[in-house]
Amino acid sequence: MVTNTSGTPLELQILIDIPKGTIPLMGQEYTQISNTVVSEYSSKEYQRFFYAPTEGEYPVYPSNACRGSTIIARAQPKPELLVKSFLTKNKL
């Protein structure tokens, strides 16, 4: 999600990676760079689709937004994606 809280449109390049070791789906690439304009006081949402071939932990790299060659925003680092081959249920 990218949000522009200013009163002027922002021309940005958005960089989004899928977790390391996963496989991109739906014709997407491992790394996606989108040139976009985010209108004033608005948000844009980005989705990535990927497949994890085995159980395990997959590192997730934070996305970032650039203007030209300068990074102006970076997502908070996330914990590794944990993939299991079975569904677990929490009993209360």
Side-chain angles (χ1 to χ4, degrees):
M1 177 76 67
V2 177
T3 301
N4 179 1
T5 58
S6 75
T8 57
L10 287 177
E11 246 182 84
L12 301 172
Q13 296 80 41
I14 309 298
L15 181 134
I16 306 169
D17 282 329
I18 61 172
K20 184 177 180 181
T22 63
I23 300 166
L25 298 176
M26 301 177 70
Q28 296 182 351
E29 300 290 331
Y30 288 91
T31 298
Q32 177 181 339
I33 300 173
S34 299
N35 293 309
T36 189
V37 175
V38 184
S39 299
E40 58 276 356
Y41 307 113
S42 67
S43 297
K44 283 194 176 185
E45 183 177 10
Y46 295 86
Q47 291 185 341
R48 298 297 315 269
F49 299 94
F50 55 89
Y51 168 75
T54 61
E55 284 188 351
E57 293 183 355
Y58 295 86
V60 179
Y61 300 112
S63 300
N64 64 58
C66 300
R67 287 185 82 179
S69 61
T70 304
I71 296 174
I72 63 168
R74 185 177 178 130
Q76 292 294 317
K78 301 285 183 195
E80 290 188 339
L81 175 67
L82 177 61
V83 175
K84 296 183 178 183
S85 62
F86 56 90
L87 179 64
T88 57
K89 286 187 177 181
N90 292 332
K91 293 185 178 183
L92 298 175

